[in-house]
Amino acid sequence: MKRKAVVLTFIIFSAMQAMARELTFKLTANGMLPFLSDDSGRYSALGVSGDFQGGFLFFDWLNIGPEFSFTMIPKNNSSELPSSASKSVNFIAGGIHLGALLYPASRLELEFGGALGPYMSMSGSNEHSAPWYKAFADVAFRLTPNWTVGAEASWMDYQYDTYWGEPGAAGIKIGLSVRYKFDTEKSSQKVLGEVAQDDSVFPLMYTLYKDNSFATITLKNEETAEIRNVKVTFRAGKYTGSELECGRIGTLKKHKTAEVPLSADFSKEILNFTEEGKIPGELVVDYELLGQKRTSISQIIIPVYNRNQIRWADPNALASFISPTAPEILEFSKVLVGLARSHQRSGLNRNLQYAIYLYEGMRLSGINCKEDENTPYMTMHTDYDSIDYIQYPYQTMMYKAGDCDDLGILFMSLLQSTGIDAAFIPAEDDFIVLLNLKLDSDKASSFFDGKDRILDINDEIWVPVSMSMIKEGFVNSWYRAVEELNEMQENGEQIDLYIINEAWQTYPSVGFSSGEDINILPLETSLIAAAETNIARYITAEFGPQIAALQEQMKIQGVSVKLLNKLGMLYLRAGMYSSSITIYERSAKMGSTTAMINLGNIASIQKRFEDAKMWFEKVLSINPNNNTARTNLERIQREFDE
């Protein structure tokens, strides 16, 4: 029976050793005060004891293992006993202990627990066996991760003939301990870092990765003890602007792992990836081991897409391609808008006139809509998993071609560079760009014959333009975009609108430039002729019906100052100054000071300052309190003075 018990004990401890990574061995030299014994008078005030604990460490804190001790307590009357008699009682105990091993600070080790088992006491030829119990606490200083020295206090109870309640010898033990920990798993004495990355990095979005993680770092503590105050940073040479902190961990136990999100302060250098590639990087782990600062560096590889690649999962991301501050865009738009200003009609909406010149400038520069055979827009923009290839504006200018979304990105870059807010709608077979006229919706009737060809978004008027129709010119592209939007609405299709200024809040502009001189400017005379033709078509379509309606109204109701002034204003807004002057002169002859002021304004625009002065003075002769005429006259006078 005893042999079976020994074998079973061996099997149990062998299994425990296999499950535990660390083994502990502790020796304690104690003094014992047996004052809690049933008959405390039989012992002297102090005995001595030596304890040995062997332990298997589970879960990094649960210490279980065998315990053996030898205790000698002198008898109280030992001086009166004959020399042949035993003068002490010796206790030999064995059993199992269970304790919680804790590390509240770098160098501090605490253990609380208990133990039990059988013992045998001997005094001369007398022997006695019974159970024993123990509760203990140990406070130790960690010299190294393996060695500690400390002090232990315990309550010890050697029972007599019962399992509980009749202590043969009991009391407090106080002593000094030495512990050694043996790690069964080899340690590399550093912290290892690995990265799990679900997707490659998009260079286009390099600024976003500073605040948004793109991978997960797994740290494994292969040091000889737990580490504290762990800080993880990432750097990748020229591809990062700084060494960015990714996260902190308070304590990481030995052989344990922890996860930290990986972020990076990528630099613009990452945009030089013209093909898919890999960035060599370093995970820098700063930590403390038993109060000493250490650093561990792990080499990692970050896969990267090329700078033109993107997914359509969130079309707002296209905003990053829009580059209104790129030198090529600024130079191109400056010339086109300069021509628009020199031919600007003051009565028409400025943004619309500029947009016409920009669009016609693209068209006459030879930029065509050409489907990409490898990543066609028609297929890619509805496939959220595939990787699309999008051109930066300078590339579309260099190649003079691109998918309709490439052309849209160039057009929106030109619009935004001149202060015109842009937006886009990805249609099924077209890419529609919208331009904000900065015109309140309640004033739309002054510039458009109804709202059939414009969009009212948040009480502002926007004009849509098809990018697949660039060869047909601005007005035809405008009307085609309107048709497509109407068809989408009639078919119950979802119309998704993406406003660039809003998209930039999440996906800021990269502003990538080639640094090359790209000169694709069209002939000035051709551009002016094309732009003015489109403006004339706009005037005919939007102002013509209103002019015809007023003329018909005058035939029926007769000519009046009110109707003449409304007609003159329509001609003025349409930039038809000659017709406007003729109408206002008729109204002025009928005594309209409003018509006279408008005639003065037209003369000022045409730099006929003498005529302007004459009209404003005439108004003041009729109504000396007319502030508009007085202010305008003072302005004209300053022109003369200069």
Side-chain angles (χ1 to χ4, degrees):
M1 187 70 179
K2 288 184 178 180
R3 185 177 178 184
K4 289 183 178 179
V6 171
V7 172
L8 180 61
T9 302
F10 176 78
I11 293 173
I12 291 173
F13 281 115
S14 297
M16 292 174 68
Q17 182 176 354
M19 294 172 61
R21 284 178 172 166
E22 284 189 283
L23 306 179
T24 67
F25 307 95
K26 185 171 79 169
L27 290 173
T28 308
N30 300 288
M32 181 170 177
L33 305 173
F35 63 92
L36 297 175
S37 305
D38 264 6
D39 184 6
S40 59
R42 84 176 71 161
Y43 302 116
S44 66
L46 179 65
V48 294
S49 176
D51 299 343
F52 168 78
Q53 283 184 350
F56 303 94
L57 201 60
F58 298 95
F59 316 116
D60 300 307
W61 64 272
L62 183 60
N63 192 19
I64 305 175
E67 178 163 340
F68 305 96
S69 68
F70 173 81
T71 304
M72 183 186 72
I73 306 176
K75 296 177 181 179
N76 195 27
N77 60 349
S78 60
S79 60
E80 302 172 1
L81 295 174
S83 59
S84 60
S86 176
K87 298 184 179 184
S88 64
V89 180
N90 300 322
F91 298 85
I92 300 175
I96 186 168
H97 73 87
L98 183 149
L101 201 59
L102 308 173
Y103 305 98
S106 295
R107 293 281 182 174
L108 181 62
E109 178 183 88
L110 302 178
E111 186 176 18
F112 307 92
L116 56 81
Y119 79 89
M120 182 175 68
S121 64
M122 296 174 291
S123 179
S125 60
N126 296 322
E127 295 182 357
H128 184 74
S129 298
W132 64 273
Y133 311 98
K134 174 183 175 181
F136 66 92
D138 189 296
V139 179
F141 179 78
R142 303 170 76 185
L143 298 172
T144 70
N146 302 103
W147 287 98
T148 61
V149 295
E152 180 179 290
S154 62
W155 162 75
M156 190 76 183
D157 188 331
Y158 295 104
Q159 285 290 301
Y160 188 61
D161 286 330
T162 61
Y163 286 99
W164 185 258
E166 189 182 337
I172 302 298
K173 293 168 67 174
I174 299 174
L176 298 177
S177 65
V178 177
R179 188 196 305 271
Y180 175 74
K181 292 200 291 291
F182 174 73
D183 194 345
T184 60
E185 184 174 334
K186 191 174 181 180
S187 296
S188 60
Q189 297 188 14
K190 63 180 181 179
V191 179
L192 305 178
E194 295 181 350
V195 171
Q197 189 173 339
D198 293 333
D199 198 4
S200 299
V201 166
F202 288 95
L204 174 74
M205 302 178 186
Y206 76 95
T207 59
L208 301 182
Y209 295 117
K210 190 172 183 178
D211 300 313
N212 300 276
S213 64
F214 59 91
T216 300
I217 302 169
T218 300
L219 296 180
K220 185 175 184 181
N221 178 12
E222 287 299 313
E223 276 287 4
T224 52
E226 84 283 355
I227 58 176
R228 300 170 186 269
N229 300 322
V230 184
K231 183 178 77 169
V232 186
T233 57
F234 172 76
R235 64 192 181 199
K238 66 179 181 179
Y239 295 110
T240 48
S242 65
E243 188 173 308
L244 185 68
E245 181 178 322
C246 300
R248 291 177 181 260
I249 302 169
T251 302
L252 182 57
K253 294 180 179 179
K254 184 166 60 171
H255 299 310
K256 296 298 181 181
T257 61
E259 292 185 349
V260 174
L262 175 58
S263 303
D265 180 21
F266 287 120
S267 68
K268 212 166 185 176
E269 189 69 29
I270 198 173
L271 290 172
N272 289 325
F273 272 82
T274 55
E275 300 294 337
E276 292 187 45
K278 296 180 179 180
I279 291 177
E282 293 180 331
L283 293 177
V284 181
V285 185
D286 296 307
Y287 57 93
E288 294 177 5
L289 178 70
L290 297 188
Q292 295 181 342
K293 292 185 177 180
R294 294 191 178 186
T295 299
S296 185
I297 298 175
S298 297
Q299 306 294 326
I300 61 171
I301 296 296
I302 304 297
V304 180
Y305 288 118
N306 81 55
R307 66 191 178 204
N308 290 91
Q309 290 182 310
I310 195 174
R311 280 195 181 90
W312 279 85
D314 183 3
N316 280 300
L318 265 66
S320 291
F321 283 101
I322 297 170
S323 311
T325 59
E328 305 90 349
I329 294 298
L330 291 173
E331 184 64 27
F332 194 43
S333 66
K334 180 179 72 174
V335 175
L336 300 181
V337 171
L339 289 174
R341 284 198 186 100
S342 64
H343 293 80
Q344 185 174 340
R345 306 187 189 204
S346 60
L348 296 183
N349 180 269
R350 187 207 70 157
N351 285 4
L352 183 60
Q353 294 179 78
Y354 286 3
I356 290 173
Y357 270 82
L358 293 173
Y359 193 87
E360 291 300 309
M362 285 175 54
R363 181 178 70 85
L364 294 174
S365 296
I367 296 175
N368 296 314
C369 182
K370 185 178 180 181
E371 185 176 82
D372 189 327
E373 294 180 358
N374 297 318
T375 58
Y377 164 79
M378 308 305 179
T379 302
M380 300 304 298
H381 82 280
T382 56
D383 185 351
Y384 299 156
D385 295 324
S386 297
I387 301 293
D388 195 6
Y389 183 95
I390 304 291
Q391 293 177 180
Y392 288 89
Y394 85 89
Q395 292 175 309
T396 304
M397 292 174 67
M398 286 181 63
Y399 306 150
K400 289 191 175 183
D403 239 330
C404 57
D405 52 348
D406 298 324
L407 269 61
I409 287 170
L410 172 58
F411 186 43
M412 288 188 285
S413 297
L414 293 170
L415 290 171
Q416 294 284 164
S417 73
T418 60
I420 301 174
D421 295 338
F424 67 91
I425 296 173
E428 182 178 354
D429 55 359
D430 201 352
F431 190 85
I432 298 173
V433 171
L434 291 82
L435 56 114
N436 189 347
L437 300 186
K438 283 297 179 184
L439 179 67
D440 292 342
S441 58
D442 57 358
K443 296 179 181 178
S445 60
S446 299
F447 297 91
F448 298 94
D449 184 32
K451 292 188 175 182
D452 292 342
R453 290 187 285 267
I454 55 178
L455 299 180
D456 187 342
I457 303 172
N458 298 327
D459 292 327
E460 288 186 324
I461 300 303
W462 296 66
V463 170
V465 183
S466 163
M467 299 313 301
S468 65
M469 295 279 290
I470 190 168
K471 285 186 177 181
E472 303 299 322
F474 182 88
V475 171
N476 286 340
S477 298
W478 171 13
Y479 291 171
R480 177 55 187 158
V482 171
E483 290 176 6
E484 289 177 328
L485 292 174
N486 288 338
E487 289 171 4
M488 291 173 68
Q489 196 169 25
E490 290 171 3
N491 295 334
E493 297 178 35
Q494 183 172 328
I495 300 176
D496 296 316
L497 172 71
Y498 303 93
I499 298 175
I500 300 307
N501 286 335
E502 295 178 1
W504 273 339
Q505 301 303 312
T506 304
Y507 302 98
S509 171
V510 170
F512 188 60
S513 169
S514 67
E516 300 178 19
D517 183 19
I518 304 175
N519 185 2
I520 58 170
L521 289 169
L523 287 174
E524 183 175 317
T525 53
S526 299
L527 174 58
I528 294 170
E532 292 303 309
T533 297
N534 278 272
I535 290 172
R537 288 188 62 190
Y538 155 69
I539 290 170
T540 300
E542 303 300 335
F543 289 91
Q546 296 183 62
I547 291 171
L550 270 177
Q551 290 173 336
E552 185 65 25
Q553 189 176 356
M554 283 191 288
K555 286 181 182 179
I556 298 171
Q557 298 178 2
V559 176
S560 66
V561 167
K562 181 179 179 181
L563 292 178
L564 285 172
N565 287 345
K566 287 180 68 175
L567 183 57
M569 181 56 68
L570 282 174
Y571 282 129
L572 180 60
R573 284 176 176 155
M576 302 168 67
Y577 295 129
S578 297
S579 299
S580 183
I581 290 171
T582 300
I583 295 299
Y584 278 134
E585 284 178 345
R586 288 180 63 186
S587 181
K589 288 178 181 179
M590 298 171 68
S592 171
T593 54
T594 299
M596 296 175 193
I597 290 173
N598 284 329
L599 286 167
N601 289 334
I602 294 172
S604 296
I605 293 170
Q606 297 178 334
K607 301 191 181 301
R608 295 183 291 106
F609 299 120
E610 287 288 351
D611 291 343
K613 180 182 176 184
M614 179 268 293
W615 284 114
F616 295 139
E617 287 177 343
K618 189 167 184 178
V619 172
L620 291 173
S621 68
I622 298 172
N623 181 8
N625 296 322
N626 191 303
N627 291 328
T628 302
R630 186 174 302 281
T631 301
N632 288 346
L633 183 60
E634 290 172 356
R635 177 174 53 80
I636 293 299
Q637 192 61 50
R638 286 195 295 273
E639 294 285 348
F640 281 120
D641 293 341
E642 293 175 0

